[in-house]
Amino acid sequence: MSNSTLHIIKIGGNIIDDSGQLAVFLEKFAAIPGKKILVHGGGKIATRLASDLGLEAKMVDGRRITDEKMLDVVTMVYAGLTSKNIVATLQKYNCDALGLSGADANVIKAIRRPVKDIDYGFAGDILADSVNTLSIKKFLDAGFTPVFSAITHNGNGQLLNTNADTIASSLALALSELYETSLIYCFEKNGVLTDIRDEDSVIESINFESFEKLKSQGVINEGMIPKLDNAFNAISKGVKNVYIGNALNLHLFQQGKFGTCLAIK
């Protein structure tokens, strides 16, 4: 493994929908030294645009049902509008960013999610060993900062909508073979909270055993569960550190004071 460090940072939640907060976050992201990758979700912009076009956005357990028309919308928003706005802002802060989907340079392949109880449409699940680490390394070595949208492809010309948290953890897992990798999830909360209404109730460190206990007690629920599932999977397979915290506090990461730190034990 290279001694070089890599930070993979995922931005989501309401930050994407607030241009002012997003700009503040991107300035902090640009200031992080060394090799880094940004992964972004789409926020609520795709839902608003779909409504403007007369399309109904359908969600099940927080995951979007992506039919053919909705795939067009999320591709336009995630890989187009949102991606290019983020890249343009990072250039403003002297961060030479490169907006990518999974199809670009064949970096991330996925398969259409099999239909079980629910048909998620053109939702993509990332296959093991489907992250093209050598292509990503070329971008990083050339001094570029890759910015990944939540769009992948199946290698046969079909684009797919893939959960951005999953993309971030899959990149971290694959690239941990080449770099000392940290995975950082940024959103609008200060970290994993014991009380969702109290931003000061941050759990500074959490391991898998305590996560399972808090989940069974209902302290941790809803959208935080898949985020933590992805995070613990990553840290158990070679990712050095995983953090979850407030996007606007990203500058505290270098000081070791950022959000919740996940530990194996």
Side-chain angles (χ1 to χ4, degrees):
M1 181 187 289
S2 165
N3 289 327
S4 180
T5 60
L6 172 66
H7 299 311
I8 296 177
I9 300 174
K10 189 266 175 176
I11 179 66
N14 295 327
I15 305 296
I16 288 284
D17 298 312
D18 187 315
S19 58
Q21 291 189 50
L22 181 59
V24 171
F25 162 78
L26 292 174
E27 185 173 14
K28 295 176 187 294
F29 172 84
I32 292 178
K35 291 180 172 65
K36 53 185 178 284
I37 291 173
L38 182 62
V39 180
H40 63 87
K44 299 181 178 67
I45 301 169
T47 301
R48 289 200 299 269
L49 180 57
S51 178
D52 291 344
L53 295 172
L55 302 175
E56 180 186 357
K58 299 175 182 175
M59 308 286 284
V60 176
D61 296 332
R63 294 186 181 267
R64 187 183 299 275
I65 304 293
T66 309
D67 61 21
E68 196 166 354
K69 289 183 178 179
M70 188 59 71
L71 180 64
D72 288 346
V73 172
V74 297
T75 301
M76 286 188 287
V77 173
Y78 299 173
L81 181 64
T82 301
S83 173
K84 297 314 168 191
N85 280 336
I86 287 173
V87 167
T89 303
L90 287 174
Q91 301 296 0
K92 171 185 173 183
Y93 298 127
N94 299 312
C95 176
D96 203 358
L98 189 66
L100 299 170
S101 72
D104 295 295
N106 193 31
V107 286
I108 307 172
K109 283 202 290 191
I111 59 167
R112 183 169 172 172
R113 184 171 301 155
V115 177
K116 295 179 181 176
D117 297 332
I118 300 165
D119 184 354
Y120 284 97
F122 292 94
D125 291 331
I126 299 174
L127 295 167
D129 302 321
S130 70
V131 175
N132 188 337
T133 55
L134 295 182
S135 287
I136 298 170
K137 185 177 186 297
K138 288 177 183 177
F139 293 134
L140 292 168
D141 287 347
F144 294 115
T145 295
V147 174
F148 284 96
S149 66
I151 301 295
T152 58
H153 76 133
N154 70 351
N156 290 307
Q158 178 63 60
L159 295 172
L160 296 165
N161 179 20
T162 298
N163 180 271
D165 285 347
T166 305
I167 288 176
S169 63
S170 296
L171 287 170
L173 281 170
L175 289 163
S176 65
E177 297 181 8
L178 300 177
Y179 304 97
E180 192 175 272
T181 304
S182 294
L183 175 59
I184 307 161
Y185 288 104
C186 293
F187 67 146
E188 69 274 8
K189 297 293 183 182
N190 283 342
V192 182
L193 307 175
T194 56
D195 183 349
I196 196 69
R197 296 158 296 186
D198 181 5
E199 286 293 335
D200 293 327
S201 65
V202 176
I203 302 170
E204 292 185 3
S205 180
I206 184 172
N207 60 28
F208 187 74
E209 184 179 344
S210 57
F211 165 51
E212 288 292 310
K213 183 177 180 181
L214 291 168
K215 188 165 60 172
S216 68
Q217 294 171 344
V219 174
I220 296 175
N221 53 34
E222 297 179 351
M224 186 57 72
I225 291 175
K227 194 181 298 289
L228 287 170
D229 283 337
N230 275 320
F232 277 112
N233 180 56
I235 205 168
S236 69
K237 294 180 179 177
V239 176
K240 184 184 179 188
N241 298 306
V242 180
Y243 296 86
I244 297 175
N246 192 315
L248 303 184
N249 292 334
L250 185 60
H251 60 287
L252 298 176
F253 175 73
Q254 300 293 328
Q255 304 169 28
K257 300 176 181 178
F258 179 77
T260 300
C261 177
L262 276 65
I264 295 178
K265 297 180 179 179

